[in-house]
Amino acid sequence: MVTMKWKIGDVEIDNQVVLAPMAGICDSAFRRIVKSMGCGLIETEMVSTRAIMHLNNKTQEMLMMREYERPIAQQIFGSDTESFKIASQYIEENMKPDIIDINMGCPVTKVAVKSKAGSALLKDPKKAFEIVESVVNTVNIPVTVKIRSGWDENNAVEIAKTVEEAGASAIAVHPRTRHDRYDVKADWSIIRDVKDKLSIPVIGNGDIRSCYDAKRMIDETGCDAIMIGRGVMGNPWIIKQCVEYLDYEKEPERVSSKEKLAMFKRHSELIKEDSDNPKIIAHKLRTNAAYYMKNLHGSVEIKKKIFQTDTEEELFDLLDNYVETLRY
């Protein structure tokens, strides 16, 4: 069985696997690793529309993307139509992504409560409509929206229909409310309800930890694609496994500790390509090293030692010695 290609607007996507936009994670180095695993659509970490209006070096670095990452969606968040117009126009003209994605799902207090952005927009369908419509009328590329199922109660269908009417070309649904955060099981029936009511593509997100979960979500909800977030951290192979299982029913292969270490070293080189700030590089190397070693024998102890290293050489020596002690 081979999955047909699908489209968001006029953007053709090769398979049903989408990388979720994760704040502080989805930089260009991470995205290129994920793309090398065959991911159909890449999403960036979210960037504030206000930050884009007042560009500094950090914001410019966050917006950086490479041709290899296409098709790619730049995610933005904010709370007013004017900043969305200015930010989306700047992104289209300067970064040239294939898609602009609007965040209406972030549950973090700093975003949702203090800035009245992210999942706070789920409380105000009229405002959500105005924001989506303003971006759709500003840019010439498809506009998508990522939502949660609601603020404290499920209103996913209402919001989804609203953003579709405003001109969105697709929607991603994470079936937990803002109140739920990540503490309850994702209710996939909400994705199915949204899919049943919309004509635009629906992407399902939440609790996909294996290729079997990906297949089950598509079967149970009828969604057009699945979006994976936290499950990819330190485990980019899940992308390849999902693509191959959905397209060819190929069973996943076990990933060895040596393969994980090799991938981390490759990831490290990409991190160093993208930044010349020693503090940022050191932080990203240690953080990603901990993710790649996760779930290996003795990983809790090695994680502590990872964050005690002072140099890249010390970090690599630690990991080389650690992996040599493992059987697989």
Side-chain angles (χ1 to χ4, degrees), residues 16-73:
Q16 295 172 285
V17 181
V18 181
L19 173 67
M22 294 180 285
I25 301 295
C26 288
D27 59 12
S28 181
F30 181 86
R31 299 193 307 258
R32 279 178 279 161
I33 290 292
V34 170
K35 187 65 179 181
S36 73
M37 294 286 114
C39 193
L41 175 63
I42 301 284
E43 295 234 6
T44 71
E45 60 184 317
M46 65 181 188
V47 181
S48 163
T49 56
R50 291 286 176 180
I52 295 168
M53 290 173 64
H54 305 96
L55 273 178
N56 58 26
N57 290 338
K58 181 180 178 182
T59 302
Q60 288 179 316
E61 186 174 309
M62 290 176 71
L63 290 172
M64 181 185 71
M65 57 183 65
R66 298 174 187 262
E67 194 67 22
Y68 175 70
E69 300 173 45
R70 295 189 186 279
I72 185 169

Side-chain angles (χ1 to χ4, degrees), residues 261-272:
L261 180 57
M263 183 66 80
F264 168 66
K265 289 182 177 179
R266 180 183 174 194
H267 194 157
S268 301
E269 292 303 314
L270 297 178
I271 289 170
K272 289 184 287 184

Side-chain angles (χ1 to χ4, degrees), residues 81-245:
T81 56
E82 191 60 29
S83 71
F84 268 103
K85 287 179 186 177
I86 295 169
S88 59
Q89 184 176 30
Y90 176 85
I91 289 168
E92 182 182 32
E93 292 176 356
N94 294 278
M95 317 321 298
K96 297 179 170 56
D98 301 284
I99 295 165
I100 288 179
D101 186 57
I102 297 172
N103 182 299
M104 293 189 185
C106 180
V108 177
T109 298
K110 183 178 179 181
V111 172
V113 179
K114 294 183 179 179
S115 299
K116 298 181 180 179
S119 58
L121 295 174
L122 302 174
K123 296 188 291 183
D124 191 344
K126 182 175 180 291
K127 189 174 184 181
F129 180 94
E130 290 170 353
I131 285 173
V132 174
E133 185 181 51
S134 71
V135 177
V136 169
N137 290 339
T138 298
V139 300
N140 296 304
I141 56 177
V143 176
T144 60
V145 182
K146 185 172 190 292
I147 69 169
R148 279 183 168 246
S149 58
W151 178 259
D152 52 12
E153 293 183 356
N154 173 22
N155 68 336
V157 170
E158 178 189 11
I159 290 291
K161 290 173 71 175
T162 296
V163 302
E164 181 181 42
E165 289 167 7
S169 295
I171 188 167
V173 181
H174 182 96
R176 292 183 177 95
T177 65
R178 190 264 174 180
H179 177 76
D180 292 336
R181 305 283 292 215
Y182 296 99
D183 300 328
V184 301
K185 184 179 179 182
D187 183 355
W188 291 357
S189 69
I190 293 170
I191 300 171
R192 184 186 63 236
D193 292 343
V194 171
K195 177 60 185 172
D196 287 345
K197 297 294 190 296
L198 266 61
S199 59
I200 58 174
V202 174
I203 304 165
N205 174 227
D207 289 353
I208 295 177
R209 300 183 181 91
S210 72
C211 60
Y212 305 114
D213 292 332
K215 180 69 163 62
R216 188 165 56 85
M217 176 182 278
I218 290 172
D219 289 346
E220 290 182 9
T221 70
C223 64
D224 299 273
I226 57 94
M227 176 179 279
I228 314 177
R230 290 175 294 166
V232 185
M233 294 158 65
N235 182 28
W237 295 272
I238 192 175
I239 297 289
K240 184 173 184 285
Q241 291 165 355
C242 286
V243 171
E244 292 181 342
Y245 190 71

